[in-house]
Amino acid sequence: YQVGSETGPIAWAILLWTALRDAGINSERYEAAAMRAAGWIIAHCRADNGFSGGVFGFPPYPQKLRWVSTEQNTDCAVAFGRLHLHDATAHAATFVHAMHDAHSRLFAAGLTPDGARNDLIAADANLWPYLAGLANAAVLTPTLAALGWPRGHPNGIGFSAASQGIWIEGTSFAVLALRRAG
């Protein structure tokens, strides 16, 4: 499965490169790398709704990953924003906002490859938008409740509402979100 490229991890690389750029470390080189990576996502992964998952396999015949992830579009919105790519930022952020259900105050995980809404309650799809400034703190209580915290997993949260165990990375982001919310 690791043969290919996904939008979210590429966006995280962009975030690293822009942080190094902003720290004055090889600024031009990291800016260029970040812009090249962003250009690849925009050219190869832009979908009608947000940015698709990426590609599986190598050229000349990579398979397009047609699912669209709330978490990965959150990553893209922040990364593109750091590069001042306003149209791409808005495209990703619009998708994230479209995945929010006002009634439950939760975000769907995204879209399946056939375009159906994936209503899985995933920690990253619900915590990242808040941490990225794309949602307000009102999402935290229903998110943590849906993920079984503190009742089901008093020591942390799982990856999704269906998880049986604790997801360390997700728990760390939940703590960061709660801390930020005060």
Side-chain angles (χ1 to χ4, degrees):
Y1 177 77
Q2 298 302 320
V3 179
S5 299
E6 287 190 7
T7 54
I10 294 171
W12 278 91
I14 292 169
L15 292 172
L16 170 65
W17 291 326
T18 56
L20 292 169
R21 172 203 67 192
D22 294 349
I25 302 170
N26 290 324
S27 296
E28 291 177 15
R29 173 179 276 169
Y30 288 121
E31 173 78 12
M35 289 300 286
R36 236 180 359 262
W40 185 90
I41 293 172
I42 293 166
H44 296 283
C45 302
R46 187 180 177 101
D48 290 340
N49 297 305
F51 291 89
S52 67
V55 297
F56 176 74
F58 292 118
Y61 306 109
Q63 174 188 359
K64 186 166 184 161
L65 300 173
R66 300 206 178 278
W67 46 265
V68 184
S69 162
T70 301
E71 176 263 321
Q72 291 194 11
N73 273 272
T74 302
D75 302 341
C76 286
V78 175
F80 295 152
R82 294 195 37 87
L83 292 169
H84 308 289
L85 299 171
H86 304 294
D87 291 340
T89 301
H91 188 67
T94 297
F95 175 79
V96 172
H97 291 127
M99 292 296 100
H100 188 257
D101 176 28
H103 177 70
S104 69
R105 298 185 318 204
L106 295 168
F107 288 86
L111 301 176
T112 64
D114 63 359
R117 188 177 175 99
N118 178 353
D119 285 322
L120 176 75
I121 305 304
D124 54 4
N126 280 278
L127 295 170
W128 271 236
Y130 171 68
L131 290 169
L134 298 174
N136 62 37
V139 302
L140 294 179
T141 299
T143 294
L144 295 173
L147 296 169
W149 186 83
R151 296 173 320 280
H153 303 292
N155 297 317
I157 61 171
F159 175 77
S160 74
S163 294
Q164 298 298 311
I166 295 172
W167 183 36
I168 302 300
E169 179 187 11
T171 298
S172 298
F173 279 105
V175 169
L176 178 61
L178 288 167
R179 184 173 184 199
R180 180 173 287 174

